[in-house]
Amino acid sequence: MKNISLVMGRGIEGCGVTKFTIEQAKYYANNDDDYKIWASKDKTWSRKNAHTDIENLEHIKFTEEEVNRMISEINTTDVCIVNSLPPKSMKEEAVNQFARILKEVKVPIVLIQLDHNIQSLRRNCLMDEFIERADMLFALSPTGAFGQYVNKIKPGKVVYPYEIGFDFDAISHVRVPLSEQDVNHHKWIGRTVSWKGFKPMFEFAESSLTPGGKLITFEGIDRSPAFLGFKNDHEFQHHLADNIEGFEFEYGKLPYVFGSYVHSEMLHRLARSGFAYQLSILKPASINMALEYTHCEIVAAGAIPVFRKAYGDNCKHRWSDKPLTECEDTGTVWLDEYDHKPAYKLIEELSKDDAMREDYRKMSLDFYRDHQDSQHVYESLMDKIENNI
């Protein structure tokens, strides 16, 4: 396939779907495929400016005129890949215009579902209709919430697995020598949703990092509806409205919590942290082989990755099919939320041994690039599409 239409019914939300689409588009560009991204601007998202590097983008309102143009152009391409559906909070008129894709697009339609849980799936409009219409369905794990839902409403329809692809070399420019890292700076990046794992980060900070005199920063916390619970359940220093650049920190204090970030700027701060955390909490059936983008960004930026052990126990390596925690030379600190001592012991060893830290940085980059590099991930995705439609 040499001409691909990508559709983001949810628009530029600045989270995983946006990043997935950017990486997907880079793969097409690198392989001399033509593509265009169609994204709604009917709804504004708080993180819409997190990514500013989106090329070949048509950012449109779902009006009759604009949807006419979109459908007309899609029908000149080889395939229409829908990376997200409109949210239920979008105006009905816009959703109705988007729904015209179901009947008026004449090329094969592929629906890629990135949501992990049933609550997120229920926030989408037209889910049943696109499951029925799509020529192929993809999910990060066919046994997860989406696969279970498809089996309920359309028994026998295949849900194909895929992973997110990540170009590890694309952000190599942010990596710095060990001498420019703050080995006592521990950074968590994510969003204000509980499954992103901010609770285990607070628990580890309280049990080990703060008593050990470390600096703990959170980035990406926004004032979503979940922020009320976040604020009430945890002790921290509130700086959501403050600029993190140039901020004067004290070590061994309560975690510093900052708001949404510009992605490119955050990566430079991440690269200067000694250790960085990705502690996502997902049901085993939802994981399969898939990592989150923050797993990959931490590794690519050169911080020592601290990942949730329970996630690694259930995430299979794409080549060996072994759980990541059973693989050798991962360069990863695995944090068990029920026993913090092994992870903290290893962190202390790494903090005192520059050669060991450099080995871990190299091992983690080699290991996770082999697992989830964009070239083979998207090549596998497109091979499945070309062989099945």
Side-chain angles (χ1 to χ4, degrees):
M1 292 183 178
K2 288 296 181 182
N3 200 336
I4 299 118
S5 296
L6 300 175
V7 179
M8 302 172 71
R10 194 181 296 174
I12 308 297
E13 33 72 90
C15 302
V17 175
T18 303
K19 181 63 177 171
F20 178 83
T21 306
I22 291 170
E23 293 286 339
Q24 188 180 11
K26 283 197 293 187
Y27 167 80
Y28 297 142
N30 291 339
N31 287 273
D32 296 323
D33 294 328
D34 293 324
Y35 73 91
K36 180 178 282 189
I37 302 167
W38 300 89
S40 166
K41 60 178 180 182
D42 293 273
K43 179 177 172 60
T44 299
W45 300 91
S46 62
R47 298 166 66 100
K48 67 181 187 297
N49 295 321
H51 298 277
T52 57
D53 53 346
I54 307 175
E55 298 183 1
N56 292 1
L57 169 67
E58 287 274 357
H59 205 191
I60 65 171
K61 290 265 193 180
F62 287 154
T63 63
E64 182 177 5
E65 180 181 359
E66 292 284 58
V67 171
N68 283 344
R69 183 167 65 89
M70 178 178 73
I71 290 175
S72 177
E73 290 199 30
I74 288 174
N75 281 332
T76 67
T77 63
D78 297 319
V79 64
C80 173
I81 300 178
V82 179
N83 283 351
S84 67
L85 297 172
K88 289 185 175 177
S89 54
M90 187 178 285
K91 290 182 179 179
E92 183 179 2
E93 180 181 352
V95 174
N96 289 340
Q97 288 296 328
F98 182 84
R100 291 170 51 199
I101 289 175
L102 293 161
K103 293 184 177 179
E104 297 180 35
V105 166
K106 305 305 180 186
V107 300
I109 294 177
V110 175
L111 176 63
I112 296 181
Q113 181 52 247
L114 281 91
D115 289 326
H116 292 293
N117 58 60
I118 193 65
Q119 291 83 1
S120 298
L121 292 173
R122 287 172 178 156
R123 298 189 189 108
N124 293 310
C125 293
L126 305 170
M127 178 66 74
D128 292 7
E129 293 86 346
F130 269 87
I131 289 172
E132 176 72 32
R133 167 65 181 85
D135 297 274
M136 290 188 75
L137 304 172
F138 283 88
L140 290 167
S141 173
T143 59
F146 181 65
Q148 294 170 25
Y149 185 74
V150 171
N151 191 52
K152 180 179 177 182
I153 70 164
K154 192 70 176 174
K157 189 154 188 174
V158 176
V159 177
Y160 293 86
Y162 76 100
E163 306 102 74
I164 62 164
F166 188 80
D167 184 352
F168 285 82
D169 294 328
I171 63 170
S172 60
H173 63 282
V174 307
R175 289 176 72 98
V176 297
L178 289 182
S179 59
E180 296 181 29
Q181 286 187 330
D182 181 350
V183 71
N184 290 312
H185 187 174
H186 294 248
K187 182 176 288 294
W188 180 97
I189 52 176
R191 292 186 286 125
T192 322
V193 288
S194 59
W195 68 266
K196 287 292 187 181
F198 53 73
K199 181 179 178 181
M201 183 66 192
F202 275 112
E203 291 172 344
F204 190 49
E206 182 178 353
S207 75
S208 307
L209 299 179
T210 300
K214 312 301 184 184
L215 166 66
I216 308 108
T217 60
F218 285 66
E219 290 198 51
I221 299 300
D222 52 31
R223 295 178 184 274
S224 70
F227 181 67
L228 181 61
F230 179 97
K231 182 175 64 173
N232 292 339
D233 294 343
H234 306 288
E235 288 189 284
F236 58 91
Q237 300 186 61
H238 189 312
H239 295 286
L240 267 68
D242 296 331
N243 187 351
I244 193 172
E245 293 291 346
F247 199 93
E248 293 190 9
F249 297 103
E250 294 184 64
Y251 291 69
K253 304 295 184 182
L254 290 175
Y256 293 83
V257 173
F258 292 87
S260 298
Y261 49 74
V262 174
H263 185 258
S264 57
E265 297 174 358
M266 178 278 293
L267 290 175
H268 286 279
R269 294 189 292 271
L270 180 63
R272 286 166 172 74
S273 305
F275 297 84
Y277 292 71
Q278 214 298 345
L279 305 176
S280 285
I281 302 169
L282 293 174
K283 294 178 180 178
S286 298
I287 296 173
N288 194 32
M289 295 183 291
L291 296 174
E292 295 285 306
Y293 279 114
T294 40
H295 285 112
C296 301
E297 288 167 347
I298 285 167
V299 170
I304 298 297
V306 185
F307 296 159
R308 184 169 171 261
K309 181 179 180 297
Y311 196 106
D313 288 340
N314 290 285
C315 186
K316 303 295 180 65
H317 193 277
R318 68 176 288 114
W319 304 118
S320 70
D321 204 39
K322 292 170 59 176
L324 299 188
T325 49
E326 294 180 14
C327 295
E328 296 180 355
D329 300 330
T330 68
T332 306
V333 177
W334 296 107
L335 177 61
D336 183 343
E337 60 256 56
Y338 302 106
D339 183 4
H340 292 167
K341 290 180 180 178
Y344 190 69
K345 181 176 182 289
L346 179 54
I347 285 170
E348 287 288 80
E349 291 174 8
L350 286 161
S351 298
K352 297 170 183 175
D353 189 333
D354 284 355
M356 184 181 179
R357 266 174 66 217
E358 193 59 65
D359 284 345
Y360 263 61
R361 296 210 307 169
K362 184 180 185 304
M363 282 193 297
S364 64
L365 184 60
D366 291 344
F367 178 80
Y368 290 104
R369 179 191 278 128
D370 182 55
H371 177 66
Q372 206 136 356
D373 181 70
S374 60
Q375 181 64 32
H376 59 242
V377 166
Y378 288 113
E379 187 175 276
S380 173
L381 174 71
M382 294 310 296
D383 283 348
K384 289 176 184 175
I385 292 173
E386 291 184 15
N387 291 331
N388 288 282
I389 61 173

